[in-house]
Amino acid sequence: MVATLPTHQKAIYLNTQTNKLSFTTQAPLPSIPEEHILQVHSTAITNGELTWAPFCNWPTEHVPGYDVSGTILTAVAGSKFAPGDIVYGRVAAGREGTAREYATILPSETALVPARLKGSKRGMQEAASIPMSAHTAWQALFTQGELCTPPSVDTTTGAVIGGQAKGKRVLVLGAAGSVGMMAVQFGRLAGAWVAGTASPGNKGLVGELGADEVIDYTATTVSKWIAGEEERKFDLVFDCVGGRSMLDGWSAVRSDGIYVSVVPGFAEPEGGKPEGVRSKWFVMEASGEELEGIGRFVEKGLVRGCVDSVWRLEEFEDAFAKTKGGHARGKVVFGVAE
């Protein structure tokens, strides 16, 4: 099957010496025996990904973009996936990305696209918007945040096994971002009472996703919203924003609660964190098995990704600028396949 592929392809490159992006139609096709070659349908941008070069062993010309949906073209020994499978996943940032027509992905990073999404261009764009955001939110709540036993879908009966966090309270700082929106949905599936911070323009969206209360960060702070009332505090505060919001969020954690962040520059408040409060900062890890489980909720319509906008690879400058602006509602996606 590889022999039928073209010799060159469209791709976006990041020059790690100059930090400049460029577009080419003459990029070589990848060939890594332990990875599936994937015909890319869509790939999504992660905010801040162009700053990762100092932490990754990238070549001078590096392909960005790590969330992907597409069609497997080649077999890999021992993989459960086969040519023709419609898949999605998160490629580790240490390897070449997927902002190109043909990319590679490890079997361990891969899951089948939920049937509800794979029948349309729009569905495949949504699929590409899901992996990083879903992994990050899932791991923040259930792995790092230890909120409860994760919800699941019974593979035999299709029954949803949820409600394990009933009686607990979760606050999501930045609930209208791609990770925050996933955290709101997962918190509700687990049965927690969920609040999220958002601007007035995003209040309706966050509410639709299941937030019990949306705090307008342009009108008040979390500290003022808590107003010193212990019962208004949270078992888990998940910071997707950083900066002032991160420091403000410390006022919302119960004495036996946990503060989880994924934002670079995570810091404890001056004088130290409140007594009894635990804190964790982490970087998500891709897992095809985890994504497969999350996909069962997507298939049932209980979880959805959110696409802010869709761009062609040739429009890379505008697409990355939209992401860098920090106000995208969900993910900025490249529609790659015609």
Side-chain angles (χ1 to χ4, degrees), residues 98-134:
T98 59
R100 48 184 172 167
E101 293 177 287
Y102 301 91
T104 62
I105 190 168
L106 286 168
S108 61
E109 299 166 328
T110 307
L112 293 174
V113 169
R116 187 176 67 84
L117 300 182
K118 71 179 183 181
S120 69
K121 179 181 291 189
R122 191 169 183 176
M124 291 294 283
Q125 292 164 354
E126 181 181 340
S129 78
I130 292 173
M132 185 283 296
S133 302

Side-chain angles (χ1 to χ4, degrees), residues 80-98:
K80 66 180 180 181
F81 302 101
D85 284 347
I86 311 298
V87 300
Y88 66 150
R90 170 75 175 184
V91 172
R95 304 201 310 282
E96 289 300 282
T98 59

Side-chain angles (χ1 to χ4, degrees), residues 1-11 13 24-33 35-40 63 71 73-74 96-97 100-104:
M1 202 164 196
V2 175
T4 65
L5 297 177
T7 57
H8 296 85
Q9 62 172 323
K10 295 179 181 179
Y13 278 122
T24 181
T25 60
Q26 296 300 305
L29 266 69
S31 179
I32 304 174
E35 300 189 30
H36 291 289
I37 293 181
L38 190 69
Q39 183 175 15
V40 176
V63 179
T71 304
L73 299 181
T74 60
E96 289 300 282
R100 48 184 172 167
E101 293 177 287
Y102 301 91
T104 62

Side-chain angles (χ1 to χ4, degrees), residues 25 33 81 93 161 196 212 223 230 239 265 273:
T25 60
F81 302 101
I161 304 169
D212 295 284
S223 180
E230 193 66 26
D239 167 37
K273 58 190 175 187

Side-chain angles (χ1 to χ4, degrees), residues 91-331:
V91 172
R95 304 201 310 282
E96 289 300 282
T98 59
R100 48 184 172 167
E101 293 177 287
Y102 301 91
T104 62
I105 190 168
L106 286 168
S108 61
E109 299 166 328
T110 307
L112 293 174
V113 169
R116 187 176 67 84
L117 300 182
K118 71 179 183 181
S120 69
K121 179 181 291 189
R122 191 169 183 176
M124 291 294 283
Q125 292 164 354
E126 181 181 340
S129 78
I130 292 173
M132 185 283 296
S133 302
H135 283 313
T136 304
W138 189 269
Q139 292 164 28
L141 267 59
F142 306 119
T143 307
Q144 305 295 332
E146 301 175 1
L147 180 66
C148 62
T149 302
S152 61
V153 175
D154 188 294
T155 56
T156 302
T157 66
V160 175
I161 304 169
Q164 298 91 336
K166 188 175 181 180
K168 293 189 176 182
R169 291 167 61 86
V170 173
L171 172 63
V172 181
L173 303 176
S178 61
V179 174
M181 287 191 286
M182 283 292 177
V184 168
Q185 294 177 84
F186 294 156
R188 290 294 291 157
L189 280 173
W193 191 90
V194 181
T197 63
S199 66
N202 288 324
K203 183 176 181 178
L205 172 62
V206 176
E208 287 174 13
L209 294 174
D212 295 284
E213 181 140 0
V214 182
I215 302 169
D216 177 3
Y217 68 80
T218 69
T220 188
T221 64
V222 169
S223 180
K224 289 179 180 178
W225 186 86
I226 295 292
E229 298 179 27
E230 193 66 26
E231 65 272 13
R232 290 173 74 88
K233 292 185 177 182
F234 296 86
D235 299 279
L236 189 155
V237 173
F238 178 32
D239 167 37
C240 306
V241 183
R244 292 182 180 179
S245 294
M246 171 187 65
L247 295 175
D248 184 33
W250 283 102
S251 63
V253 194
R254 287 177 172 163
S255 58
D256 59 347
I258 185 167
Y259 192 114
V260 179
S261 179
V262 291
V263 182
F266 175 63
E268 295 180 359
E270 190 174 338
K273 58 190 175 187
E275 186 177 354
V277 173
R278 295 164 292 148
S279 62
K280 290 189 178 180
W281 180 89
F282 78 103
V283 176
M284 57 74 59
E285 294 184 3
S287 165
E289 183 179 357
E290 183 177 271
L291 190 59
E292 182 180 347
I294 292 168
R296 296 188 186 108
F297 294 113
V298 177
E299 178 61 33
K300 285 182 166 293
L302 298 174
V303 169
R304 63 182 174 94
C306 187
V307 176
D308 173 89
S309 51
V310 180
W311 308 76
R312 295 179 295 116
L313 290 176
E314 293 89 335
E315 299 171 309
F316 64 94
E317 290 180 322
D318 289 336
F320 276 95
K322 181 66 183 289
T323 304
K324 188 177 180 181
H327 295 290
R329 295 178 61 171
K331 298 286 276 189

